[in-house]
Every structure is written in structure tokens, then in C-alpha cells.
Amino acid sequence: MSIMMKATRLLLTLALLHGGVPAVQAQKPSLEIALTLDVPVNGVSTTPSGRIFLLYARVDGSQGPQVVEYNATSNITTPIPSAEWNSFNASSPSSSSDPATHLIRTNSQRIGPDGALWLVDVGSPSFGAPVIFPDGPKLVQFNLTTNQVQRTYFLGNVTRVNSLLDDVRFNPLTGVAYLTDAGSPGLIVLDLKSGFAVRVLDDHPSTRRGDFPVSGEGTLMHGPDGAYLYVYADHHELSPSGQYYYFQPANGGLSRIESRWLDAALYNSSLNSNAVLGAYVEPFALTPSTGGTAIDADGNIYCSDTDRLAVEKIAPNGTRETLVQDDRLLWVDAMWIDAEGKLWMPAAQLNRGIPFNNGTNRVVKPLHVFTLDIGVGPSPIDHA
Ligand SMILES: *[C@@H]1O[C@H](CO)[C@@H](O)[C@H](O)[C@H]1NC(C)=O
Ligand SMILES: *[C@@H]1O[C@H](CO)[C@@H](O)[C@H](O)[C@H]1NC(C)=O
Ligand SMILES: *[C@@H]1O[C@H](CO)[C@@H](O)[C@H](O)[C@H]1NC(C)=O
Ligand SMILES: *[C@@H]1O[C@H](CO)[C@@H](O)[C@H](O)[C@H]1NC(C)=O
Ligand SMILES: *[C@@H]1O[C@H](CO)[C@@H](O)[C@H](O)[C@H]1NC(C)=O
Ligand SMILES: *[C@@H]1O[C@H](CO)[C@@H](O)[C@H](O)[C@H]1NC(C)=O
Ligand SMILES: *[C@@H]1O[C@H](CO)[C@@H](O)[C@H](O)[C@H]1NC(C)=O
Ligand SMILES: *[C@@H]1O[C@H](CO)[C@@H](O)[C@H](O)[C@H]1NC(C)=O
């Protein structure tokens, strides 16, 4: 029995007891544990048919594939796109395999509006390590019918040695993909048909705005070099109508721009300057330090709060409210809304990982992916 059904039954029972007038509000849906894991997972995506894909963060020093399909019934994981794609040896990148056909370090994965699984490869072997050019930074499209790589977009021309190719969203109405660069602050607009891409809002205050470092569990974080950790343009969403593109650095402060200006910048270099394009950027919501976001069919954005161990819901008018707070929501990273209206929240504990704790692993096992019934499905232009 679903939580909603239980809540409805409770309400009915109370209504009967009180002569037809409900005495209390229906109970809020509660957190459920969807997956129990040994390795931090910072991305989950699901298909309407029930396939589940996971991205392992490996900040705990564990070894193995980066992206897998997970069968929760058999507890068997299958490397995606293949074991070979996942065999790149980060400890000795020079003697390793061809960066064009291997995952160097995958930072996000998601099923797109085309039903394919898309992988974003930073192209640098470890956090803070230089990007491998030209073929390290890339976007890989994996066809879920053929279970084969369908196309790879190489993004070496629009990234830099300190880039951190972070995440991708799609605009199926215009055939464009948007990517965030969290290492060298900026956005990338990619024409999916031609493969042509440009950087926009490069080092603009809206993509940089790391006035404060990233924070987790109430503490400012440090990177592998011991300095305060700044993670630039990171989380982003496209509104269900395609009109607005929302984006923010990991320490928070959500901006938006009408996506038509980003799309126009692809082929209009007069528009593609911070002075011209930057004028179309507007502040949207004063979000906290965040691990990941998701957007629903009504245009509400879900945004994790890595300090308060909570998830906020931001209405299309920019108003924020707390959806759920629970001390188990330890660094909720990229979220996912499935076809049944459940919000998937991987509690990845990234802030406890080796790169952010002076070489010490503070991740506590087991780790969990939680779900919460939000009663609304994903944005239809985001995924099915
Ligand atoms: C998961 O494994 C079970 C048992 O081995 C199998 O019956 C089922 O088809 C698998 N599911 C998927 C989605 O592969
Ligand atoms: C699933 O597999 C993992 C890795 O092989 C193992 O650590 C874990 O205990 C298994 N979980 C269950 C419920 O069998
Ligand atoms: C990766 O490279 C390192 C350094 O050369 C080596 O010690 C290690 O065995 C390699 N790992 C694998 C899985 O091949
Ligand atoms: C995946 O492959 C199938 C079979 O070749 C094809 O019909 C489908 O269009 C492909 N999907 C995408 C997203 O291109
Ligand atoms: C990168 O730029 C070079 C030089 O303009 C061009 O030859 C190459 O095709 C570009 N690569 C990609 C992947 O767009
Ligand atoms: C390109 O952008 C500039 C600056 O916004 C604008 O004045 C011009 O009309 C645009 N050109 C086209 C062909 O849209
Ligand atoms: C914004 O939207 C929320 C949710 O629909 C609503 O509760 C709130 O009153 C709205 N605020 C303003 C200022 O319009
Ligand atoms: C990090 O560890 C090194 C030794 O491994 C030590 O010298 C240094 O002081 C530590 N830094 C911090 C910020 O704890």
C-alpha cells in the first residue's frame, strides 16, 4: 500500500470518527529507503520500464566502474557503456587507453528526452587534476534499446585545463544541450545535430559567484590542495515550457536566463559577450549550498541543502520552502523524478570524501538512496 493510500485511509477514518469533518491534515509522505549501497552514488536515473542506472562517486577511494545499471532484484551491477569503457586507469593516465573511448571521470548521468542515457565526462582523472586534451571532456549518448554508445560529442574545444564539465540538460524544442563548467566558470551550449558548441557567460558573476566556499554539514569545505573549495556553475534546470534556463554555483544563488538567448548565442557571436548576454541574466532564488537539483512537471525545482540536510522546493515564482529535513539526507546530490512521481535523493556524503578531508575517508557505510512521494512526475521535456 502506498503512503498516499495509507494517508487517505487515515483521513477517512478520522473523518468518520469526527462526524465527517477531518480533524487532522493527511499525514505527509515520508522518506523511504530505495537503495542501500557500499559506495557513494551521486546520480540515479530510472526508465518508466524500471531500469535503474547509478553513478559512483568513488570519493571513498573505492575502485571499479563509474557508471552501472543496477538490478535491485538480483543485486547485480553491469558496467555502462561496457567494462572496457570503464577500464581507464586514473592512477597512470599516460599509459592508459584512448580517452576518446573510455570514461576518464564521469560527473553526471541522466536519461534525456530522447530516452537515451547521457554521460558527462569531466575528462580529468581526479578532482583538481588537469583535463586530458583533446578527447577527455565529452558527452556520451548511450542508446538503451541497442545498449551501445550511439554518439560521442567531444568538448575539448570549449573546455580548459581547469574545467570541470559538470552536468547536462536538454532542450528538445530547439535541439540544444546546455552544460555547466564548474571548474572554469561558464556554460556550454551544444548543437546536438552538428556537434558545434560555444562557451557562454564565461567567468560571468552568475556562473562564478563563489564569494563563499561550498559548505557541508555546517562546515566550509576544503579541496585536495587544502584551500577553500569553490565549485562554480554546477546545478541547472530547464523550465517545462523551455522558456527559462536556471543555473547556480554549488555554494548557491540560483539565476535564470531565457533559453532563447543561449540558443541564439550559438550562431551569433555579437550576442555572445558577458556585456550583452549577461544583461539577460536575472537573480531567481537565494538557494543554500547545494548538492543537486531536479525539476517537476509543474516547474517546481527541488534543491538539496547540504548544511541543513534538507531538500527545498522552489516554486516557479521563486518562493522557497522546505520539502523535507532529515539528518540522514547527508549531501543529497543529483536528484531524479521518476514516472510514478517519486523524488530520488542519493545521500552521497560527498563532503566526507577523501578529496575534501585532507586525504581521509569519512564516508560512513552503508549509504542510502531515499525516495519521497511528491505526487507529480518529471518535466516532460526533461525525461519520461
Ligand atoms: C533483474 O534480475 C532478475 C532476476 O535475475 C530478472 O528476472 C530481471 O529481469 C532483471 N531485471 C532487469 C531490469 O534486468
Ligand atoms: C549487494 O552487492 C554488494 C556488492 O557485491 C554487497 O556488498 C551487498 O551486501 C549486496 N547486498 C545485498 C542486499 O545482497
Ligand atoms: C593502475 O596503474 C597503477 C600505476 O601504474 C598500477 O599500480 C595499478 O595496478 C593499475 N591498476 C589497474 C587496475 O590496472
Ligand atoms: C536507439 O536505437 C534504436 C534501434 O536502432 C533506434 O530506433 C532509436 O532511434 C535509437 N535511439 C535514439 C535516442 O537515437
Ligand atoms: C575543434 O577545433 C578544431 C580547429 O578549429 C577543429 O578542426 C575541430 O573539428 C574541432 N573539434 C570539435 C570536436 O569540434
Ligand atoms: C546578434 O546579436 C546582436 C546583439 O544582441 C543583435 O543586435 C543582432 O540583431 C543579432 N543578429 C541576428 C542575426 O540575430
Ligand atoms: C509563489 O507561489 C507559491 C506556491 O504556489 C505561493 O504559495 C506563493 O503565495 C507565491 N508567492 C508570491 C509572492 O506570489
Ligand atoms: C593535512 O595533512 C598533512 C599531513 O598529511 C598535514 O601536514 C596538514 O597539516 C593537514 N592539513 C590540514 C588542514 O589538516
Side-chain angles (χ1 to χ4, degrees):
M1 184 163 54
S2 77
I3 294 284
M4 282 311 285
M5 283 171 66
K6 273 187 203 155
T8 308
R9 182 168 294 183
L10 175 69
L11 199 61
L12 282 173
T13 310
L14 288 167
L16 289 172
L17 284 174
H18 293 268
V21 182
V24 294
Q25 290 282 303
Q27 224 177 357
K28 275 190 174 177
S30 54
L31 282 186
E32 291 183 36
I33 294 176
L35 304 173
T36 299
L37 304 151
D38 289 334
V39 175
V41 157
N42 61 337
V44 178
S45 53
T46 63
T47 66
S49 71
R51 292 177 76 177
I52 300 177
F53 299 90
L54 305 179
L55 173 67
Y56 290 126
R58 304 287 177 197
V59 293
D60 58 340
S62 64
Q63 307 238 314
Q66 301 171 29
V67 185
V68 297
E69 178 163 7
Y70 178 63
N71 185 324
T73 311
S74 62
N75 192 33
I76 288 174
T77 55
T78 310
I80 299 290
S82 66
E84 181 59 36
W85 268 88
N86 279 276
S87 67
F88 191 83
N89 188 341
S91 314
S92 73
S94 54
S95 68
S96 273
S97 357
D98 182 2
T101 53
H102 292 80
L103 298 174
I104 313 302
R105 183 163 52 100
T106 314
N107 197 64
S108 66
Q109 59 79 52
R110 65 188 299 104
I111 291 163
D114 59 351
L117 182 71
W118 293 78
L119 313 176
V120 178
D121 190 346
V122 178
S124 109
S126 61
F127 197 90
V131 164
I132 299 172
F133 286 120
D135 294 336
K138 55 189 175 288
L139 176 66
V140 180
Q141 181 191 29
F142 179 74
N143 186 307
L144 293 181
T145 306
T146 59
N147 291 314
Q148 301 280 334
V149 170
Q150 179 154 316
R151 185 166 176 183
T152 303
Y153 297 85
F154 295 103
L155 298 167
N157 281 1
V158 283
T159 43
R160 302 200 175 97
V161 72
N162 60 335
S163 280
L164 200 173
L165 206 55
D166 190 287
D167 200 2
V168 66
R169 290 295 181 278
F170 300 94
N171 189 345
L173 307 172
T174 59
V176 156
Y178 311 107
L179 294 105
T180 44
D181 188 338
S184 180
L187 306 174
I188 292 162
V189 184
L190 167 67
D191 181 339
L192 288 166
K193 198 169 175 199
S194 66
F196 179 72
V198 294
R199 284 183 76 86
V200 301
L201 299 174
D202 190 40
D203 203 25
H204 183 263
S206 63
T207 53
R208 187 181 347 110
R209 210 158 62 197
D211 293 342
F212 265 76
V214 180
S215 186
E217 293 182 68
T219 304
L220 297 182
M221 288 170 62
H222 299 263
D225 58 0
Y228 280 122
L229 179 71
Y230 294 89
V231 179
Y232 305 112
D234 186 331
H235 319 110
H236 57 169
E237 300 295 344
L238 186 67
S239 66
S241 68
Q243 185 183 1
Y244 288 109
Y245 174 81
Y246 302 92
F247 59 105
Q248 68 165 31
N251 69 305
L254 189 62
S255 301
R256 76 175 182 186
I257 182 170
E258 288 198 52
S259 66
R260 62 188 168 122
W261 300 120
L262 299 181
D263 298 354
L266 250 177
Y267 295 108
N268 184 346
S269 51
S270 304
L271 179 65
N272 190 7
S273 72
N274 285 354
V276 180
L277 200 57
Y280 296 114
V281 175
E282 53 181 340
F284 180 65
L286 187 55
T287 47
S289 208
T290 299
T293 57
I295 191 163
D296 72 22
D298 298 331
N300 298 300
I301 295 173
Y302 300 84
C303 171
S304 75
D305 181 332
T306 52
D307 274 334
R308 284 199 306 130
L309 313 179
V311 172
E312 293 191 346
K313 180 178 173 182
I314 307 167
N317 65 11
T319 302
R320 299 156 52 207
E321 62 173 304
T322 298
L323 176 74
V324 56
Q325 192 287 325
D326 190 299
D327 288 352
R328 295 172 298 169
L329 294 176
L330 286 162
W331 194 284
V332 169
D333 212 84
M335 287 180 276
W336 182 256
I337 299 172
D338 71 18
E340 288 164 17
K342 279 186 183 169
L343 180 69
W344 292 64
M345 294 166 281
Q349 302 185 28
L350 285 198
N351 59 311
R352 298 182 173 199
I354 292 170
F356 314 116
N357 290 279
N358 201 19
T360 306
N361 177 28
R362 294 178 46 238
V363 171
V364 176
K365 291 196 258 188
L367 297 99
H368 296 296
V369 177
F370 296 95
T371 53
L372 185 74
D373 197 336
I374 54 169
V376 54
S379 164
I381 64 166
D382 192 77
H383 64 270

